[in-house]
Amino acid sequence: MAGRIPGEPGGHMDALRELTARRGRLLPSALERARSSTAEGPGAWAPQAAAAAGLPAAAGLGPATFFADLAAPRGERHVRVCTATACFAARGGKHLAEIERTLGVMAGTADQASSTSLQAVHCLGYCYAGPAALDGTLPRAGPDLADQLGGRTEPCAPGIPVADTTGAPVLLAGIVGGHSAWDVWREAVAGLRPEDIRKEAAVSGLRGRGGAGFPVADKWAAAAGKPDTVIVANGDEGDPGSYADRLLMEEDPGRILTGLALACFACGARRGIVLVRSEYPKAMVRLRQEVQRATEAGDLSPSAEAAGPLPFVEIVEGAGSYVAGEETALISRLEGARGCARPRPPYPTDHGLWDSPTVVNNVETLAAVPWIVMHGGASYARRGVPDETGTKLVCLSERFARPGVCEVELGTPVDEIVVQFGAGLKAGAELVALQIGGPLGGFLPGTALDVPLTTAALAEHGAALGHAGLVAFDAEVEPNELLRHIWEFAADESCGACSPCRIGTRQGLELAQGQAGPGESYEQLARLMGEASLCAFGRRVPAAVRSLARAYGAALEGWDR
């Protein structure tokens, strides 16, 4: 095949990617440094950053114009305000205009003196206390957010409320029970074999908690024993309404790193990477501190060259993209490219990061591994339900009377979570609709929540488990505004790699903004996106809109196709 480069399985490899693989591993950090030193757009600094690495201008301009953190104007004071679903529900989206008036700058711009810039982002992980913003790296949250940013009221950034409902927490064992996970790692590396870890994972039935639900043992087996295998902990938690990963990374980073080390040991990998959202600056600090502590304690290797059974672990920062949480898009980000999804096959476990076999596990998934190794896979398998074992962290949004994170057994009825653990809505407000699992999840009517919290049961009702973020909507939110909000998110966050999603999300937004309703063309649009989109993002958007329409009934007639 013309253009094929040796070593690329099943097709040609882009020449720019090969060149970047040789010279551009430091490109992401170079772009971030260049961005932080100027208020100008990417065209003024990205080509120079690429040239310094011996790369063409396109290698710098590609990611610099793709990732929101790099492309957005940057003033001396840079404020990121959350406009995602939970913050939208908290104030009906009114907080953005209030902040624009307070700061004297529109979202997506900087003032003339480049002293203040404002960036609208999708989720900062303060869904339990929104609306929220980051003033530099300092969080602010609450209904008086504009006043906080304007200096008229005291700054507020409440911690995450946490509750275990199981009596024997798996994921909250360190946060609630004070149990360190590092002892599990030390005993495992001293007395177990890699196949022992893989066997316990298989017996446990643990599935990925990032949304796809793929069996962890199968993914590990696909990469086990292959030379140069890399394990990536995906901390790019972007589902609006979910902040469980932020909780784990900030409050119990050792559990995640222990799970990552155990995954490396199980697969024979000498290197691990944790990718953390840039919207989680405290998580970045806590993980780096824990890597340093663990390295000094002899639990992790100090370098890639010295790595063996003790892996070398790096912490890498994201750059602001929802779709870059998808595993192939995440790999593209780590390689310094645009965070676009890639066709599969080849699968990452065969050809992933820099063409090395790569396993990508969500951080909540890895946080369960120490408990499984300590107590045995069979003990974990007895929890939850037979086909979906174990526990799950559920996030309750700001509208609930008791918002926060609770650990529940899979199979727990959604209405029990809402009524017993969330105590219903604030001030006794009526729950009209409930979003589960973020923008790729779906909506349930507030009157039909007798559904087990499992992937299979939710799918029967047109929803999905996802990260299990629960965002409540009361009667104050107008359904057509919520519909437009969903399509705006989809259009903003589409990576553009495939036409069905890139064009379809824009057409869906145009229809949602119009006065005539979806019309006959929408059915064809929804079918095309659902069947032909490259990744789950484009395929799930029409299903999420369909579930929203069913939840609201006649108010959104025509969108249930």
Side-chain angles (χ1 to χ4, degrees):
M1 179 183 295
R4 178 178 295 183
I5 294 178
E8 175 68 8
H12 76 275
M13 175 182 177
D14 184 81
L16 179 59
R17 181 167 178 250
E18 185 188 38
L19 182 62
T20 305
R22 294 197 305 266
R23 301 182 181 176
R25 299 195 183 210
L26 299 178
L27 181 61
S29 58
L31 292 173
E32 288 155 13
R33 286 194 302 272
R35 163 77 285 177
S36 65
S37 63
T38 178
E40 295 186 85
W45 47 265
Q48 290 83 343
L55 295 165
L61 283 169
T65 55
F66 176 87
F67 290 102
D69 289 351
L70 298 174
R74 187 72 58 93
E76 294 178 17
R77 181 191 184 190
H78 186 61
V79 177
R80 287 176 281 181
V81 58
C82 180
T83 59
T85 315
C87 287
F88 173 85
R91 294 287 315 284
K94 299 181 180 68
H95 64 288
L96 178 58
E98 294 172 353
I99 292 169
E100 289 175 331
R101 289 193 296 268
T102 295
L103 299 181
V105 61
M106 299 296 291
T109 68
D111 60 20
Q112 289 186 345
S114 296
S115 59
T116 303
S117 55
L118 182 63
Q119 178 186 355
V121 300
H122 295 130
C123 203
L124 294 172
Y126 283 82
C127 318
Y128 57 94
L134 282 177
D135 191 352
T137 60
L138 301 175
R140 306 284 182 256
D144 62 342
L145 179 59
D147 288 335
Q148 291 183 46
L149 293 170
R152 296 186 291 268
T153 58
E154 289 295 315
C156 178
I160 301 174
V162 177
D164 169 55
T165 73
T166 70
V170 172
L171 301 160
L172 297 179
I175 297 171
V176 174
H179 300 144
S180 172
W182 284 113
D183 288 341
V184 179
W185 165 240
R186 295 172 191 131
E187 292 175 8
V189 77
L192 296 177
R193 301 168 300 171
E195 52 265 36
D196 297 328
I197 307 294
R198 297 199 302 271
K199 177 182 177 182
E200 294 302 329
V203 171
S204 75
L206 176 65
R207 291 177 174 268
R209 298 298 191 226
F214 193 81
V216 170
D218 290 354
K219 187 177 283 192
W220 288 359
K226 294 179 179 177
D228 301 321
T229 293
V230 180
I231 311 296
V232 178
N234 185 353
D236 198 5
E237 175 185 50
D239 276 358
S242 179
Y243 45 93
D245 289 358
R246 180 169 82 81
L247 172 72
L248 291 169
M249 289 188 286
E250 291 182 359
E251 302 301 329
D252 197 4
R255 188 162 303 276
I256 296 165
L257 294 176
T258 298
L260 177 60
L262 288 165
C264 287
F265 185 64
C267 297
R270 297 159 56 92
R271 183 183 177 198
I273 299 172
V274 186
L275 190 284
V276 186
R277 302 183 72 215
S278 66
E279 295 89 343
Y280 290 175
K282 183 180 177 181
M284 178 73 61
V285 171
R286 292 286 288 115
L287 280 161
R288 284 178 171 159
Q289 289 174 338
E290 186 64 15
V291 166
Q292 181 177 352
R293 189 214 60 77
T295 301
E296 293 172 353
D299 293 319
L300 297 176
S301 176
S303 69
E305 293 74 22
L310 301 182
F312 173 65
V313 174
E314 300 172 79
I315 310 298
V316 179
E317 186 175 20
S321 168
Y322 175 81
V323 173
E326 190 272 341
E327 65 176 10
T328 63
L330 182 150
I331 288 169
S332 293
R333 158 62 185 164
L334 290 174
E335 292 176 340
R338 297 164 67 90
C340 296
R342 298 173 181 171
R344 289 176 288 188
Y347 294 96
T349 49
D350 292 319
H351 294 271
L353 182 63
W354 307 117
D355 284 331
S356 294
T358 304
V359 171
V360 181
N361 289 139
N362 163 262
V363 298
E364 183 181 328
T365 309
L366 292 172
V369 175
W371 194 97
I372 291 169
V373 173
M374 180 178 181
H375 296 276
S379 295
Y380 188 85
R382 287 192 288 270
R383 309 187 68 169
V385 295
D387 293 331
E388 296 187 45
T389 61
T391 67
K392 183 78 185 73
L393 294 182
V394 174
C395 299
L396 303 174
S397 71
E398 177 271 346
R399 291 288 82 194
F400 285 95
R402 284 203 299 263
V405 169
C406 57
E407 183 167 358
V408 305
E409 301 250 348
L410 282 169
T412 302
V414 174
D415 56 359
E416 181 179 337
I417 297 171
V418 168
V419 176
Q420 183 173 334
F421 307 141
L425 299 197
K426 290 179 176 176
E430 177 190 1
L431 176 60
V432 178
L434 184 71
Q435 184 188 54
I436 300 182
L440 304 189
F443 293 81
L444 297 176
T447 55
L449 301 180
D450 186 18
V451 182
L453 188 76
T454 64
T455 299
L458 290 170
E460 291 178 0
H461 290 77
L465 180 62
H467 275 84
L470 271 57
V471 179
F473 295 90
D474 57 26
E476 295 298 314
V477 176
E478 205 279 320
N480 282 287
E481 289 295 324
L482 179 54
L483 174 70
R484 283 190 285 272
H485 170 81
I486 297 300
W487 279 112
E488 285 171 357
F489 175 90
D492 285 348
E493 293 291 354
S494 172
C495 76
C498 68
S499 297
C501 181
R502 181 180 67 252
I503 298 173
T505 53
R506 295 172 187 171
Q507 290 182 343
L509 177 58
E510 290 174 1
L511 290 171
Q513 291 172 330
Q515 301 297 319
E520 295 182 2
S521 63
Y522 176 68
E523 184 174 359
Q524 181 179 1
L525 170 66
R527 186 171 62 253
L528 179 64
M529 288 184 64
E531 295 177 359
S533 293
L534 181 61
C535 75
F537 183 84
R539 293 195 296 268
R540 279 294 308 173
V541 169
V545 170
R546 195 176 301 122
S547 70
L548 175 68
R550 284 199 295 265
Y552 278 97
L556 293 177
E557 187 176 356
W559 290 97
D560 55 351
R561 300 174 184 177

